[in-house]
Amino acid sequence: MDDGLRNELSKQGVVVVKLEELYNWGRKNSVWPLSFGLACCAIEMMAASMARYDLSRFGAEVFRPSPRQADLMIVAGTVTKKMAPQVVRLYNQMPEPKYVIAMGACAISGGPFKQGYNVLKGIDRYIPVDVHIPGCPPRPEALIHAFMTLQRKIDAQKLTGPDRARHLNAELPSEFPVPLFGEHDLVPTKNPNVWEPAVVVR
Amino acid sequence: MTFHDLAYDAGKTDFQRKAEVIGVGREGELLEVAMGPQHPSTHGVFRMDVVLDGETVVKLKPVFGYLHRNHEKIAENTSYLGSMPYTDRLDYFCSLTNNWAYALSVEKLAGLQVPERAEYIRLITAELTRVLNHTCLAGFLLQDMGALGTPLMYAFREREKILDLIESLTGARMMCNYMRFGGCRCDLPAGWLDAAKKVVAEYPRFLDEFETLLSGNEILMARTQGVGKLSAELAINAGITGPMLRASGVDYDLRKVDNYGIYSRYPFRVPLGSHGDVYDRYMIRMLEMRESLKILEPALKDIPEGPVVDPKAKLRGFRPKAGEAYGRIETPKGELGFYLISDGSPNPYRYRVRPPSLINLTILEDMCLGQTVADAIVTLGSVDIVLGEVDR
């Protein structure tokens, strides 16, 4: 259907949408985050849901304490090696479709604590991350921007075809292996299906 | 032998361990619950292993370390100034007081003087931080009691007003990195004092509103009075500091004891509790906020002109003489101290943080035993922990 006809019909009070558009519109405006704070960024995450920044304008104010009821995991803070297995386990417990925002420098790469012996250098080594927001901590506006980016991403997801969304493709995994404590580091140190180290071209 | 010792005895089953501690025949009634590290009321990644008899807490084992970020080791491998931004991330509600405690210990180590204006700025920012922290704590405490949303919304509304001030002064909302050895990084921006005066003048109205809604509230009193009692003797023996110690009736405030900065110029009272329960801890913080405002009001008027940093202080090539120093201040959570050993190199030889949150948390079991699990949550909320500082 062309846009002209659609506009004409909408003036008559008839809305014509594809099922995909309706489905994505519904999902993107009601993303429930997991109330899961790790460190400093969690305070800014809370501030984003409070009166001044009011994340509920985007349909995401319902922070659920249980991963079983959440759609979005905001990894807000430093992931240590002691905490990483729990983060992956929480992610595995979330039902599909699920999304991840890596909030702040620590969740992206280890941030200022990267040189530490107990800090994971980015949660994207174990779980797929949809949106990264830099900052230490990112301002609530930055979190809202990340959230709007995620909404655009959800809006563009396909229901059918070879490039359909992950939760509709039975061949793609929805759970990822939980790392364990090894002798010196987490085992494995990364999930190669999710993350590969960047290749430096000299 | 306590449950804690037995918990690591690998040769025994859970059933045997419980039987030894609690007595044969009662094991079946007990339930072990691991609260955290992902739990809405543990204020971050903290875990309590609680053993429950029905709803009564029989044993409670705090488990730390989920946010251990190697602060001390990183600081020993970087320059003195290089660890200033890391101190922001200790107690991420109160970065300015953390800065001050660290700057104070380095100043002791290197023998630097702080100009008059910088002392005033330090006092003003520290007291603003105290107000900010206590406001948020009241919101979180109410959240733990089940008042979801509203009190925290009110608290964060006021927090934003103070954060606006801090942001216009330091450039960051939370991670300020503002103090320097021998002063502060930059002077106050134009119009800052007027903006601060306005916030300070309006704050009592918010406190009145908050207290009208809460302090005499029957539900709040029922949930907090007589809950999580801590005797003065135990508090002293366990090294508790800050509002928790004062709620147990011990008159100990480093602002009075050490007289660091320019606190001796401003008269203020130290509120003391008499029961040592959660309600006293809540009330102490409410009263402390009013005392802080009493300090802020004249300090904002008296602040003199002048430089904000000691001209002798060096930013680059800073190498204090070999020696050691311990600097401590009264942060909103208690005594925060930094113990530094210098061997004359640009890095500290040893860098040790005395975190008030961790030490205040160590007596959690004593406060929670024999109470219901819902009371344990409220008690934890009243301790006022920040995991960045507990685990470092």
Side-chain angles (χ1 to χ4, degrees):
Chain A
M1 180 183 282
D2 63 18
D3 287 346
L5 180 57
R6 188 189 287 207
N7 280 343
E8 192 56 43
L9 281 172
S10 71
K11 282 175 199 159
Q12 311 280 329
V14 180
V15 180
V16 184
V17 288
K18 283 191 277 185
L19 183 63
E20 185 177 279
E21 288 168 353
L22 185 69
Y23 180 73
N24 285 343
W25 172 83
R27 285 195 309 128
K28 81 169 185 187
N29 286 308
S30 161
V31 178
W32 288 8
L34 180 65
S35 74
F36 175 48
L38 285 171
C40 335
C41 290
I43 311 299
E44 289 297 63
M45 182 176 82
M46 274 179 232
S49 67
M50 291 296 154
R52 185 181 282 192
Y53 298 100
D54 199 9
L55 196 58
S56 55
R57 290 176 293 162
F58 305 92
E61 82 281 17
V62 194
F63 279 84
R64 305 308 297 182
S66 165
R68 310 271 182 207
Q69 302 164 345
D71 309 309
L72 165 68
M73 177 190 250
I74 302 176
V75 184
T78 317
V79 186
T80 58
K81 286 178 184 166
K82 188 170 181 178
M83 194 62 201
Q86 272 77 309
V87 176
V88 179
R89 199 166 284 138
L90 282 168
Y91 179 79
N92 287 346
Q93 286 175 355
M94 284 164 60
E96 287 280 9
K98 54 189 171 186
Y99 303 93
V100 177
I101 290 178
M103 181 181 185
C106 293
I108 294 173
S109 69
F113 299 97
K114 188 168 183 166
Q115 24 170 337
Y117 50 85
N118 192 34
V119 175
L120 185 68
K121 292 165 187 66
I123 190 61
D124 51 2
R125 287 170 183 235
Y126 292 112
I127 54 176
V129 175
D130 293 281
V131 185
H132 296 82
I133 28 169
C136 190
R139 295 176 61 88
E141 289 97 324
L143 181 59
I144 290 174
H145 179 249
F147 191 75
M148 290 165 75
T149 311
L150 182 71
Q151 282 186 323
R152 278 197 290 279
K153 189 169 179 173
I154 295 174
D155 209 22
Q157 283 191 330
K158 297 269 190 297
L159 291 190
T160 52
D163 56 345
R164 61 190 183 275
R166 192 187 68 209
H167 64 277
L168 298 168
N169 193 342
E171 285 163 18
L172 294 177
S174 68
E175 289 190 8
F176 292 87
V178 178
L180 297 169
F181 284 115
E183 200 175 337
H184 302 294
D185 200 349
L186 289 171
V187 180
T189 52
K190 64 178 190 310
N191 182 355
N193 297 327
V194 177
W195 185 82
E196 279 297 335
V199 180
V200 182
V201 181
R202 293 184 196 279
Chain B
M1 207 182 225
T2 66
F3 190 81
H4 292 198
D5 309 322
L6 292 164
Y8 297 103
D9 195 342
K12 289 184 182 127
T13 62
D14 281 3
F15 194 77
Q16 284 171 327
R17 277 193 272 128
K18 281 175 192 165
E20 279 185 35
V21 179
I22 312 298
V24 180
R26 291 192 64 205
E27 320 90 319
E29 302 160 26
L30 296 176
L31 180 70
E32 224 174 318
V33 183
M35 295 176 74
Q38 192 265 330
H39 193 274
S41 66
T42 53
H43 297 240
V45 281
F46 169 63
R47 194 171 106 212
M48 293 192 282
D49 280 352
V50 194
V51 180
L52 299 174
D53 179 4
E55 244 197 290
T56 314
V57 178
V58 182
K59 292 281 166 193
L60 188 149
K61 187 175 72 170
V63 184
F64 316 119
Y66 288 99
L67 195 56
H68 176 54
R69 301 194 278 196
N70 334 119
H71 175 67
E72 287 175 7
K73 271 290 165 245
I74 289 176
E76 282 162 19
N77 289 302
T78 186
S79 66
Y80 281 88
L81 187 59
S83 24
M84 185 63 87
Y86 287 99
T87 61
D88 291 338
R89 288 154 183 83
L90 275 177
D91 170 2
Y92 32 80
F93 272 106
C94 323
S95 60
L96 285 159
T97 44
N98 299 346
N99 283 181
W100 193 2
Y102 180 51
L104 197 75
S105 14
V106 177
E107 279 152 16
K108 259 191 183 174
L109 191 66
L112 294 169
Q113 295 301 313
V114 183
E116 186 82 354
R117 187 173 170 84
E119 286 282 21
Y120 270 89
I121 297 177
R122 284 180 177 192
L123 175 124
I124 290 165
T125 50
E127 291 308 310
L128 280 175
T129 308
R130 194 179 314 279
V131 173
L132 183 154
N133 179 73
H134 288 354
T135 309
C136 289
L137 173 100
F140 285 126
L141 184 60
L142 268 289
Q143 175 110 343
D144 288 346
M145 278 178 226
L148 291 172
T150 315
L152 195 61
M153 288 251 184
Y154 276 43
F156 268 64
R157 182 189 68 194
E158 299 306 310
R159 175 179 180 259
E160 294 289 343
K161 289 177 189 167
I162 296 177
L163 283 190
D164 282 348
L165 288 178
I166 291 179
E167 191 185 2
S168 66
L169 174 61
T170 69
R173 281 158 57 87
M174 284 170 68
M175 305 304 167
C176 302
N177 185 15
Y178 180 62
M179 310 279 175
R180 288 290 177 268
F181 312 135
C184 302
R185 193 179 71 212
C186 52
D187 205 349
L188 301 174
W192 193 86
L193 283 174
D194 293 326
K197 275 176 200 161
K198 202 171 151 229
V199 170
V200 170
E202 282 175 2
Y203 219 85
R205 231 181 72 196
F206 158 71
L207 287 181
D208 291 341
E209 184 191 20
F210 211 59
E211 285 215 71
T212 314
L213 291 170
L214 296 177
S215 294
N217 187 308
E218 211 169 304
I219 303 172
L220 184 131
M221 280 158 58
R223 282 300 305 275
T224 55
Q225 286 183 348
V227 170
K229 275 199 171 181
L230 173 64
S231 68
E233 194 192 356
L234 180 61
I236 293 169
N237 287 343
I240 307 303
T241 47
M244 259 186 89
L245 179 65
R246 295 193 283 275
S248 297
V250 183
D251 187 2
Y252 184 76
D253 187 325
L254 288 179
R255 292 176 289 175
K256 293 276 190 199
V257 175
D258 275 12
N259 269 330
Y260 62 93
I262 49 165
Y263 276 107
S264 51
R265 293 184 202 174
Y266 293 103
F268 64 96
R269 289 182 304 173
V270 178
L272 295 178
S274 51
H275 301 95
D277 56 2
V278 176
Y279 187 77
D280 273 10
R281 277 173 229 143
Y282 158 80
M283 216 49 217
I284 289 281
R285 284 168 175 123
M286 284 291 160
L287 295 170
E288 270 190 15
M289 278 196 268
R290 291 187 193 270
E291 294 301 320
S292 288
L293 295 174
K294 263 188 219 165
I295 301 173
L296 277 167
E297 223 167 293
L300 284 166
K301 283 190 195 112
D302 297 349
I303 180 164
E305 291 297 320
V308 291
V309 73
D310 186 358
K312 277 189 289 180
K314 287 198 291 184
L315 268 184
R316 289 177 192 281
F318 180 73
R319 287 160 182 262
K321 276 186 215 125
E324 56 178 56
Y326 179 69
R328 56 179 192 175
I329 70 164
E330 179 79 28
T331 66
K333 294 186 169 60
E335 173 189 334
L336 175 65
F338 285 85
Y339 177 60
L340 302 168
I341 301 180
S342 165
D343 56 357
S345 68
N347 308 344
Y349 174 74
R350 180 76 175 99
Y351 175 105
R352 158 87 187 142
V353 187
R354 185 231 185 259
S357 297
L358 170 67
I359 292 163
N360 290 358
L361 197 53
T362 50
I363 45 154
L364 187 64
E365 185 182 18
D366 299 274
M367 292 193 292
C368 292
L369 284 187
Q371 304 198 330
T372 62
V373 66
D375 288 343
I377 301 233
V378 178
T379 310
L380 175 69
S382 74
V383 177
D384 195 8
I385 54 163
V386 161
L387 268 293
E389 197 177 62
V390 171
D391 294 337
R392 285 160 288 140

